[in-house]
Amino acid sequence: MTGKPDLRERRRLATQTDIEDAALDLFERQGYERTTVQEIAAAAGVSQSTFFRHFATKEDAALGPNRAFESALVARLGDTKAGVLTFRDVEEAVAGVLGALSADPGDVIGRMRRVRGLLTRDMALRSAALRREAEQCQRFQRLLADATGAETVDLRARVMAETVSATLRAAFDEWVSRRAPEGGADLVEVYRITCARLRDVASD
């Protein structure tokens, strides 16, 4: 378990969050294609150079919460002893990360929910997200191969990575559709239900 971030890191994370929130606000209000980096930076109260110190593109700013999830999952799976990882282990790791992020005061999960909502409405952002998800899946394949003791990304690692990615997308979309303004479904519960449905389908 890492210690509490120092002041400089907390400021960096706060600025990053401000930029992500500004990007999401603008994308929700006027769409991804009609929003510029200049507008995002102005809304976040930072310069364009500060924006580019944190994000390479405007879609990076919107998809930042997804990277936070990926980083947390990588850290959790990185502690797994090579050669013993099962699909159920991956499910539990994902559920653990979702639970930890749900309790995080930075509201990463809340911003991930906003991203999923945007992806259902904004096709341009969805196309950008699909490209990023493909890259993320490739990294996940390599991580799973390492965790299972495989020397290369074999068929097992590819199937696991693709299945976990598809299950997560389905769980997030279901969670967004169930969530009401006054509260709504618990994400970890929805994810576990989605995994159970996957096992039902696989056993048919």
Side-chain angles (χ1 to χ4, degrees):
M1 195 76 175
T2 57
K4 185 178 180 180
D6 62 21
L7 179 59
R8 179 177 295 180
E9 178 64 7
R10 292 200 300 274
R11 286 175 174 168
R12 186 189 71 80
L13 292 174
T15 299
Q16 187 169 289
T17 298
D18 288 344
I19 294 171
E20 289 173 0
D21 284 339
L24 291 172
D25 287 344
L26 287 165
F27 291 168
E28 288 171 340
R29 188 161 63 245
Q30 63 190 34
Y32 163 74
E33 287 191 308
R34 295 176 59 191
T35 299
T36 66
V37 168
Q38 183 177 5
E39 289 175 312
I40 296 171
V46 300
S47 65
Q48 289 190 64
S49 61
T50 296
F51 175 96
F52 286 117
R53 280 202 297 273
H54 291 271
F55 301 102
T57 64
K58 63 181 182 180
E59 61 263 29
D60 278 343
L63 301 176
N66 292 7
R67 287 195 303 278
F69 167 81
E70 180 184 0
S71 297
L73 184 60
V74 166
R76 187 166 293 233
L77 289 177
D79 294 333
T80 305
K81 184 178 179 181
V84 300
L85 189 72
T86 66
F87 190 78
R88 187 62 68 93
D89 292 330
V90 178
E91 285 185 12
E92 290 303 314
V94 170
V97 169
L98 293 177
L101 291 179
S102 295
D104 188 281
D107 196 26
V108 173
I109 289 294
R111 295 201 302 282
M112 290 178 75
R113 177 182 58 80
R114 294 177 68 188
V115 170
R116 294 309 302 180
L118 273 169
L119 296 184
T120 64
R121 304 188 301 272
D122 193 315
M123 291 302 103
L125 182 59
R126 189 178 185 90
S127 295
L130 287 173
R131 291 194 299 272
R132 298 303 171 109
E133 285 182 8
E135 296 169 359
Q136 183 184 61
C137 193
Q138 289 182 335
R139 293 192 295 272
F140 195 33
Q141 289 173 10
R142 181 66 265 172
L143 175 66
L144 291 176
D146 292 341
T148 55
E151 294 184 2
T152 60
V153 177
D154 57 9
L155 180 60
R156 183 173 186 269
R158 287 197 294 273
V159 170
M160 286 179 70
E162 294 287 354
T163 303
V164 170
S165 296
T167 304
L168 265 172
R169 285 195 299 273
F172 264 106
D173 289 343
E174 178 69 10
W175 181 60
V176 170
S177 71
R178 292 186 184 191
R179 191 171 175 83
E182 65 275 9
D186 176 76
L187 177 56
V188 176
E189 178 187 356
V190 172
Y191 174 70
R192 290 193 182 280
I193 290 171
T194 307
C195 290
R197 295 293 177 269
L198 169 64
R199 287 190 287 275
D200 289 343
V201 170
S203 64
D204 285 348

